Amino acid sequence: MLTVVIPAYNEEQVLDKTVQVLSELLASESIPYELLFVDDGSKDHTWERIVNAHQKNENVRGIHFSRNFGKEAAIFAGLSEARGDCVAVMDCDLQHPPGTLVEMYRMWVDGVEVVEGVKRTRGKESSMHRAATGIFYRIMSKAVKIDMSRASDFKLLDRKAVESLLEMPEKNAFFRAMSSWIGFVHGQVEFDVKEREAGESKWSTRMLITYAISNIVGFSTAPMQFVTGAGIVVFLIAIILGIQTIVRYCTGHAVEGFTTVILLILLIGSLIMISLGIIGYYIARIYEETKGRPRYIISRKV
Ligand code: UDP
Ligand code: MG
């Protein structure tokens, strides 16, 4: 059986259509399925729609979070509740073409254990957004050692892969990168990102920036190495300046002027503060993980 995990946050406008399109398609392809909606604490009537869909079609199941925990949490809740032999993750807004889902399922039948949907085109985006995601994915690709520039959350995983993802204890998970990191037999399917069926994107620019920083910190210690690197550079400059100062002192010309002193204090001071901030971010992360709070809280199920 195929479980399709669908995170939904304020998606009342498209939910009915998603259920209809997916159930008709999977039934016509005679793929045994369940649609598992994870309502990420929606404030609209998404949950009523899910319950409604469940009453009409018992292949539809739903989980309701007690509040908004974010898409990553929703994906992991879906993975742990899924009953299928393979589990696909898909957006609720039909931006991930359902036809590709069938293609992924066929690949799984042929023995691929992790089928990744890769974006052929990124759909409509502003140039600012494109530049920012470019930088983000370059850092992430380095951290995971796999090209992630076209990665998406649209994936289909074998039971084994799902279990190994669920075994990872970290609370701040990044599904897209972790599903590459676990290994297994990988396959890729290209797809075109479609326009959103209805409603609007749930991500504000601020959310995206926080999300990017949190994922970089979760996957890479490169920012900490930046601290080391900056320290080394400043140390080299210090040696050169130090020698120059001593030579000048010995030859009777003391280094003159406050300008140098002020510049040095400003430069080193800001470097130290930035470094402390970066280290603080990692400490905050350790603190959060040691608290051991659950990734999400489920308040209702159907
Ligand atoms: N989503 C979610 N929780 C959130 C934000 C988004 O579960 O806090 C879901 C949303 O319902 C959708 C998917 O994540 O199914 C992708 O969101 P969206 O379409 O808004 O993002 P975009 O396609 O613009 O990247
Ligand atoms: Mg979308």
PDB file of all heavy atoms in Angstrom, residues 26 30 42 48 65 84 93 98 100 119 121-122 127-128 157 163 167 175 177 185 192 198 208 219 232 242 284 286 296:
ATOM      1  N   LEU A  26      -5.260   7.520  -8.265  1.00  0.00           N
ATOM      2  CA  LEU A  26      -4.682   6.292  -7.706  1.00  0.00           C
ATOM      3  C   LEU A  26      -5.634   5.112  -7.899  1.00  0.00           C
ATOM      4  O   LEU A  26      -5.200   3.991  -8.162  1.00  0.00           O
ATOM      5  CB  LEU A  26      -4.334   6.489  -6.234  1.00  0.00           C
ATOM      6  CG  LEU A  26      -3.185   7.482  -6.018  1.00  0.00           C
ATOM      7  CD1 LEU A  26      -3.029   7.831  -4.554  1.00  0.00           C
ATOM      8  CD2 LEU A  26      -1.877   6.909  -6.553  1.00  0.00           C
ATOM      9  N   SER A  30      -5.163   1.632 -10.225  1.00  0.00           N
ATOM     10  CA  SER A  30      -5.289   0.509  -9.283  1.00  0.00           C
ATOM     11  C   SER A  30      -4.065   0.352  -8.373  1.00  0.00           C
ATOM     12  O   SER A  30      -3.483  -0.709  -8.248  1.00  0.00           O
ATOM     13  CB  SER A  30      -5.639  -0.797  -9.998  1.00  0.00           C
ATOM     14  OG  SER A  30      -4.766  -1.052 -11.052  1.00  0.00           O
ATOM     15  N   SER A  42      -4.176  24.309  11.496  1.00  0.00           N
ATOM     16  CA  SER A  42      -4.799  25.329  10.647  1.00  0.00           C
ATOM     17  C   SER A  42      -5.806  26.156  11.421  1.00  0.00           C
ATOM     18  O   SER A  42      -6.430  25.680  12.358  1.00  0.00           O
ATOM     19  CB  SER A  42      -5.528  24.669   9.470  1.00  0.00           C
ATOM     20  OG  SER A  42      -4.644  23.924   8.704  1.00  0.00           O
ATOM     21  N   GLU A  48     -12.185  20.374   9.322  1.00  0.00           N
ATOM     22  CA  GLU A  48     -13.546  19.939   8.984  1.00  0.00           C
ATOM     23  C   GLU A  48     -13.562  19.286   7.603  1.00  0.00           C
ATOM     24  O   GLU A  48     -14.209  18.263   7.392  1.00  0.00           O
ATOM     25  CB  GLU A  48     -14.522  21.119   8.993  1.00  0.00           C
ATOM     26  CG  GLU A  48     -14.956  21.584  10.390  1.00  0.00           C
ATOM     27  CD  GLU A  48     -13.896  22.415  11.100  1.00  0.00           C
ATOM     28  OE1 GLU A  48     -12.913  22.810  10.434  1.00  0.00           O
ATOM     29  OE2 GLU A  48     -14.034  22.662  12.317  1.00  0.00           O
ATOM     30  N   PHE A  65      -2.743  18.754  14.493  1.00  0.00           N
ATOM     31  CA  PHE A  65      -1.806  19.225  15.509  1.00  0.00           C
ATOM     32  C   PHE A  65      -2.510  20.197  16.442  1.00  0.00           C
ATOM     33  O   PHE A  65      -3.442  20.891  16.054  1.00  0.00           O
ATOM     34  CB  PHE A  65      -0.632  19.963  14.847  1.00  0.00           C
ATOM     35  CG  PHE A  65       0.414  19.059  14.260  1.00  0.00           C
ATOM     36  CD1 PHE A  65       1.530  19.604  13.618  1.00  0.00           C
ATOM     37  CD2 PHE A  65       0.313  17.681  14.369  1.00  0.00           C
ATOM     38  CE1 PHE A  65       2.506  18.782  13.081  1.00  0.00           C
ATOM     39  CE2 PHE A  65       1.287  16.859  13.841  1.00  0.00           C
ATOM     40  CZ  PHE A  65       2.385  17.410  13.185  1.00  0.00           C
ATOM     41  N   GLY A  84       1.614   2.489   5.090  1.00  0.00           N
ATOM     42  CA  GLY A  84       1.956   1.904   3.793  1.00  0.00           C
ATOM     43  C   GLY A  84       3.324   1.246   3.749  1.00  0.00           C
ATOM     44  O   GLY A  84       4.154   1.452   4.631  1.00  0.00           O
ATOM     45  N   ASP A  93      -1.157  21.708  -2.253  1.00  0.00           N
ATOM     46  CA  ASP A  93      -1.677  22.680  -3.217  1.00  0.00           C
ATOM     47  C   ASP A  93      -1.576  22.204  -4.658  1.00  0.00           C
ATOM     48  O   ASP A  93      -1.744  22.991  -5.584  1.00  0.00           O
ATOM     49  CB  ASP A  93      -0.943  24.011  -3.048  1.00  0.00           C
ATOM     50  CG  ASP A  93       0.561  23.829  -3.050  1.00  0.00           C
ATOM     51  OD1 ASP A  93       1.028  22.715  -3.333  1.00  0.00           O
ATOM     52  OD2 ASP A  93       1.277  24.800  -2.757  1.00  0.00           O
ATOM     53  N   PRO A  98       0.412  15.218  -9.678  1.00  0.00           N
ATOM     54  CA  PRO A  98       0.012  13.874  -9.261  1.00  0.00           C
ATOM     55  C   PRO A  98       0.493  12.796 -10.230  1.00  0.00           C
ATOM     56  O   PRO A  98       0.784  11.680  -9.808  1.00  0.00           O
ATOM     57  CB  PRO A  98      -1.512  13.945  -9.258  1.00  0.00           C
ATOM     58  CG  PRO A  98      -1.839  15.392  -9.118  1.00  0.00           C
ATOM     59  CD  PRO A  98      -0.750  16.122  -9.807  1.00  0.00           C
ATOM     60  N   THR A 100       3.324  12.536 -11.603  1.00  0.00           N
ATOM     61  CA  THR A 100       4.676  12.158 -11.203  1.00  0.00           C
ATOM     62  C   THR A 100       4.649  11.162 -10.049  1.00  0.00           C
ATOM     63  O   THR A 100       5.513  10.296  -9.931  1.00  0.00           O
ATOM     64  CB  THR A 100       5.470  13.411 -10.790  1.00  0.00           C
ATOM     65  OG1 THR A 100       5.274  14.406 -11.786  1.00  0.00           O
ATOM     66  CG2 THR A 100       6.941  13.128 -10.650  1.00  0.00           C
ATOM     67  N   LYS A 119      13.132  19.408  -9.131  1.00  0.00           N
ATOM     68  CA  LYS A 119      12.449  20.434  -9.902  1.00  0.00           C
ATOM     69  C   LYS A 119      13.173  20.669 -11.211  1.00  0.00           C
ATOM     70  O   LYS A 119      14.361  20.982 -11.208  1.00  0.00           O
ATOM     71  CB  LYS A 119      12.420  21.737  -9.098  1.00  0.00           C
ATOM     72  CG  LYS A 119      11.661  21.611  -7.795  1.00  0.00           C
ATOM     73  CD  LYS A 119      11.844  22.876  -6.975  1.00  0.00           C
ATOM     74  CE  LYS A 119      11.226  22.731  -5.608  1.00  0.00           C
ATOM     75  NZ  LYS A 119      11.736  23.700  -4.650  1.00  0.00           N
ATOM     76  N   THR A 121      12.015  22.994 -13.361  1.00  0.00           N
ATOM     77  CA  THR A 121      11.954  24.458 -13.304  1.00  0.00           C
ATOM     78  C   THR A 121      11.475  24.806 -11.909  1.00  0.00           C
ATOM     79  O   THR A 121      10.810  24.005 -11.270  1.00  0.00           O
ATOM     80  CB  THR A 121      10.943  24.994 -14.317  1.00  0.00           C
ATOM     81  OG1 THR A 121       9.716  24.292 -14.114  1.00  0.00           O
ATOM     82  CG2 THR A 121      11.422  24.774 -15.718  1.00  0.00           C
ATOM     83  N   ARG A 122      11.800  25.986 -11.457  1.00  0.00           N
ATOM     84  CA  ARG A 122      11.430  26.332 -10.090  1.00  0.00           C
ATOM     85  C   ARG A 122      10.091  27.047  -9.999  1.00  0.00           C
ATOM     86  O   ARG A 122       9.674  27.464  -8.936  1.00  0.00           O
ATOM     87  CB  ARG A 122      12.509  27.210  -9.452  1.00  0.00           C
ATOM     88  CG  ARG A 122      13.804  26.466  -9.174  1.00  0.00           C
ATOM     89  CD  ARG A 122      14.661  27.266  -8.220  1.00  0.00           C
ATOM     90  NE  ARG A 122      13.954  27.558  -6.990  1.00  0.00           N
ATOM     91  CZ  ARG A 122      14.092  26.874  -5.880  1.00  0.00           C
ATOM     92  NH1 ARG A 122      14.899  25.863  -5.841  1.00  0.00           N
ATOM     93  NH2 ARG A 122      13.420  27.204  -4.809  1.00  0.00           N
ATOM     94  N   SER A 127      13.527  37.520  -8.347  1.00  0.00           N
ATOM     95  CA  SER A 127      14.962  37.301  -8.537  1.00  0.00           C
ATOM     96  C   SER A 127      15.705  37.332  -7.204  1.00  0.00           C
ATOM     97  O   SER A 127      16.684  36.630  -7.005  1.00  0.00           O
ATOM     98  CB  SER A 127      15.532  38.346  -9.505  1.00  0.00           C
ATOM     99  OG  SER A 127      15.128  39.627  -9.101  1.00  0.00           O
ATOM    100  N   MET A 128      15.191  38.141  -6.251  1.00  0.00           N
ATOM    101  CA  MET A 128      15.765  38.176  -4.897  1.00  0.00           C
ATOM    102  C   MET A 128      15.683  36.789  -4.260  1.00  0.00           C
ATOM    103  O   MET A 128      16.648  36.265  -3.709  1.00  0.00           O
ATOM    104  CB  MET A 128      14.959  39.141  -4.010  1.00  0.00           C
ATOM    105  CG  MET A 128      15.528  40.527  -3.903  1.00  0.00           C
ATOM    106  SD  MET A 128      16.860  40.580  -2.712  1.00  0.00           S
ATOM    107  CE  MET A 128      15.929  40.655  -1.176  1.00  0.00           C
ATOM    108  N   LEU A 157       9.361   7.183  -0.318  1.00  0.00           N
ATOM    109  CA  LEU A 157      10.347   6.404   0.427  1.00  0.00           C
ATOM    110  C   LEU A 157       9.832   5.006   0.720  1.00  0.00           C
ATOM    111  O   LEU A 157       8.653   4.814   1.006  1.00  0.00           O
ATOM    112  CB  LEU A 157      10.653   7.070   1.776  1.00  0.00           C
ATOM    113  CG  LEU A 157      10.991   8.547   1.804  1.00  0.00           C
ATOM    114  CD1 LEU A 157      11.052   9.019   3.238  1.00  0.00           C
ATOM    115  CD2 LEU A 157      12.299   8.797   1.099  1.00  0.00           C
ATOM    116  N   GLU A 163      11.678   4.101   8.280  1.00  0.00           N
ATOM    117  CA  GLU A 163      12.070   3.693   9.633  1.00  0.00           C
ATOM    118  C   GLU A 163      13.398   4.345  10.029  1.00  0.00           C
ATOM    119  O   GLU A 163      13.558   4.800  11.163  1.00  0.00           O
ATOM    120  CB  GLU A 163      12.216   2.166   9.727  1.00  0.00           C
ATOM    121  CG  GLU A 163      10.916   1.386   9.542  1.00  0.00           C
ATOM    122  CD  GLU A 163       9.847   1.756  10.552  1.00  0.00           C
ATOM    123  OE1 GLU A 163      10.199   2.146  11.674  1.00  0.00           O
ATOM    124  OE2 GLU A 163       8.648   1.672  10.195  1.00  0.00           O
ATOM    125  N   GLU A 167      14.139   6.951  13.165  1.00  0.00           N
ATOM    126  CA  GLU A 167      15.072   6.639  14.249  1.00  0.00           C
ATOM    127  C   GLU A 167      15.931   7.829  14.626  1.00  0.00           C
ATOM    128  O   GLU A 167      16.554   7.838  15.681  1.00  0.00           O
ATOM    129  CB  GLU A 167      15.974   5.483  13.827  1.00  0.00           C
ATOM    130  CG  GLU A 167      15.402   4.134  14.226  1.00  0.00           C
ATOM    131  CD  GLU A 167      16.139   3.009  13.543  1.00  0.00           C
ATOM    132  OE1 GLU A 167      17.338   3.176  13.235  1.00  0.00           O
ATOM    133  OE2 GLU A 167      15.507   1.973  13.301  1.00  0.00           O
ATOM    134  N   PHE A 175      13.791  17.382   6.356  1.00  0.00           N
ATOM    135  CA  PHE A 175      13.421  16.187   5.597  1.00  0.00           C
ATOM    136  C   PHE A 175      14.173  16.068   4.280  1.00  0.00           C
ATOM    137  O   PHE A 175      14.718  15.031   3.939  1.00  0.00           O
ATOM    138  CB  PHE A 175      11.913  16.214   5.347  1.00  0.00           C
ATOM    139  CG  PHE A 175      11.414  15.102   4.488  1.00  0.00           C
ATOM    140  CD1 PHE A 175      11.457  13.794   4.943  1.00  0.00           C
ATOM    141  CD2 PHE A 175      10.902  15.351   3.225  1.00  0.00           C
ATOM    142  CE1 PHE A 175      11.000  12.760   4.152  1.00  0.00           C
ATOM    143  CE2 PHE A 175      10.442  14.324   2.425  1.00  0.00           C
ATOM    144  CZ  PHE A 175      10.495  13.033   2.888  1.00  0.00           C
ATOM    145  N   ALA A 177      17.024  17.132   3.213  1.00  0.00           N
ATOM    146  CA  ALA A 177      18.433  16.746   3.270  1.00  0.00           C
ATOM    147  C   ALA A 177      18.599  15.383   3.926  1.00  0.00           C
ATOM    148  O   ALA A 177      19.427  14.578   3.506  1.00  0.00           O
ATOM    149  CB  ALA A 177      19.226  17.797   4.039  1.00  0.00           C
ATOM    150  N   VAL A 185      19.025   2.903  -2.130  1.00  0.00           N
ATOM    151  CA  VAL A 185      19.018   2.998  -3.588  1.00  0.00           C
ATOM    152  C   VAL A 185      18.217   4.238  -3.985  1.00  0.00           C
ATOM    153  O   VAL A 185      17.028   4.341  -3.702  1.00  0.00           O
ATOM    154  CB  VAL A 185      18.360   1.747  -4.218  1.00  0.00           C
ATOM    155  CG1 VAL A 185      18.410   1.854  -5.740  1.00  0.00           C
ATOM    156  CG2 VAL A 185      19.037   0.490  -3.735  1.00  0.00           C
ATOM    157  N   ASP A 192       7.855  19.524 -13.178  1.00  0.00           N
ATOM    158  CA  ASP A 192       7.729  20.978 -13.267  1.00  0.00           C
ATOM    159  C   ASP A 192       6.844  21.459 -12.136  1.00  0.00           C
ATOM    160  O   ASP A 192       5.760  20.910 -11.923  1.00  0.00           O
ATOM    161  CB  ASP A 192       7.088  21.376 -14.606  1.00  0.00           C
ATOM    162  CG  ASP A 192       8.037  21.104 -15.766  1.00  0.00           C
ATOM    163  OD1 ASP A 192       9.179  21.563 -15.697  1.00  0.00           O
ATOM    164  OD2 ASP A 192       7.619  20.408 -16.713  1.00  0.00           O
ATOM    165  N   ALA A 198      -5.053  26.973  -5.493  1.00  0.00           N
ATOM    166  CA  ALA A 198      -5.852  28.032  -4.869  1.00  0.00           C
ATOM    167  C   ALA A 198      -5.163  28.438  -3.576  1.00  0.00           C
ATOM    168  O   ALA A 198      -4.267  27.748  -3.111  1.00  0.00           O
ATOM    169  CB  ALA A 198      -7.262  27.536  -4.578  1.00  0.00           C
ATOM    170  N   LEU A 208      11.105  32.024   5.760  1.00  0.00           N
ATOM    171  CA  LEU A 208      12.074  31.334   4.915  1.00  0.00           C
ATOM    172  C   LEU A 208      13.499  31.561   5.414  1.00  0.00           C
ATOM    173  O   LEU A 208      14.313  30.644   5.436  1.00  0.00           O
ATOM    174  CB  LEU A 208      11.947  31.803   3.464  1.00  0.00           C
ATOM    175  CG  LEU A 208      10.804  31.172   2.680  1.00  0.00           C
ATOM    176  CD1 LEU A 208      10.685  31.803   1.304  1.00  0.00           C
ATOM    177  CD2 LEU A 208      11.002  29.674   2.539  1.00  0.00           C
ATOM    178  N   PHE A 219      22.626  21.177   9.937  1.00  0.00           N
ATOM    179  CA  PHE A 219      23.304  20.215   9.078  1.00  0.00           C
ATOM    180  C   PHE A 219      24.778  20.463   8.900  1.00  0.00           C
ATOM    181  O   PHE A 219      25.503  19.635   8.375  1.00  0.00           O
ATOM    182  CB  PHE A 219      22.628  20.174   7.705  1.00  0.00           C
ATOM    183  CG  PHE A 219      21.922  18.883   7.483  1.00  0.00           C
ATOM    184  CD1 PHE A 219      20.602  18.733   7.830  1.00  0.00           C
ATOM    185  CD2 PHE A 219      22.609  17.789   6.973  1.00  0.00           C
ATOM    186  CE1 PHE A 219      19.964  17.528   7.655  1.00  0.00           C
ATOM    187  CE2 PHE A 219      21.973  16.588   6.796  1.00  0.00           C
ATOM    188  CZ  PHE A 219      20.651  16.452   7.134  1.00  0.00           C
ATOM    189  N   ILE A 232      42.106  33.065  12.359  1.00  0.00           N
ATOM    190  CA  ILE A 232      43.427  32.860  11.759  1.00  0.00           C
ATOM    191  C   ILE A 232      43.844  34.079  10.951  1.00  0.00           C
ATOM    192  O   ILE A 232      44.976  34.573  11.068  1.00  0.00           O
ATOM    193  CB  ILE A 232      43.426  31.592  10.872  1.00  0.00           C
ATOM    194  CG1 ILE A 232      43.260  30.353  11.768  1.00  0.00           C
ATOM    195  CG2 ILE A 232      44.715  31.494  10.060  1.00  0.00           C
ATOM    196  CD1 ILE A 232      43.034  29.074  11.022  1.00  0.00           C
ATOM    197  N   GLY A 242      52.315  43.567  14.357  1.00  0.00           N
ATOM    198  CA  GLY A 242      53.141  43.489  15.558  1.00  0.00           C
ATOM    199  C   GLY A 242      54.611  43.712  15.231  1.00  0.00           C
ATOM    200  O   GLY A 242      55.298  44.513  15.873  1.00  0.00           O
ATOM    201  N   ALA A 284      22.266  27.328  21.516  1.00  0.00           N
ATOM    202  CA  ALA A 284      20.809  27.352  21.619  1.00  0.00           C
ATOM    203  C   ALA A 284      20.226  26.064  21.040  1.00  0.00           C
ATOM    204  O   ALA A 284      19.294  25.477  21.585  1.00  0.00           O
ATOM    205  CB  ALA A 284      20.252  28.557  20.879  1.00  0.00           C
ATOM    206  N   ILE A 286      21.737  23.140  20.845  1.00  0.00           N
ATOM    207  CA  ILE A 286      22.004  22.032  21.769  1.00  0.00           C
ATOM    208  C   ILE A 286      20.987  22.070  22.913  1.00  0.00           C
ATOM    209  O   ILE A 286      20.393  21.059  23.275  1.00  0.00           O
ATOM    210  CB  ILE A 286      23.440  22.142  22.351  1.00  0.00           C
ATOM    211  CG1 ILE A 286      24.463  22.048  21.226  1.00  0.00           C
ATOM    212  CG2 ILE A 286      23.699  21.040  23.363  1.00  0.00           C
ATOM    213  CD1 ILE A 286      25.881  22.300  21.688  1.00  0.00           C
ATOM    214  N   TYR A 296       6.057  17.421  17.761  1.00  0.00           N
ATOM    215  CA  TYR A 296       4.705  17.922  17.500  1.00  0.00           C
ATOM    216  C   TYR A 296       3.767  17.310  18.532  1.00  0.00           C
ATOM    217  O   TYR A 296       4.118  16.344  19.207  1.00  0.00           O
ATOM    218  CB  TYR A 296       4.240  17.497  16.093  1.00  0.00           C
ATOM    219  CG  TYR A 296       4.450  16.033  15.814  1.00  0.00           C
ATOM    220  CD1 TYR A 296       3.557  15.069  16.271  1.00  0.00           C
ATOM    221  CD2 TYR A 296       5.583  15.602  15.123  1.00  0.00           C
ATOM    222  CE1 TYR A 296       3.770  13.733  16.040  1.00  0.00           C
ATOM    223  CE2 TYR A 296       5.809  14.259  14.886  1.00  0.00           C
ATOM    224  CZ  TYR A 296       4.882  13.332  15.343  1.00  0.00           C
ATOM    225  OH  TYR A 296       5.108  12.011  15.117  1.00  0.00           O
TER     226      TYR A 296
END
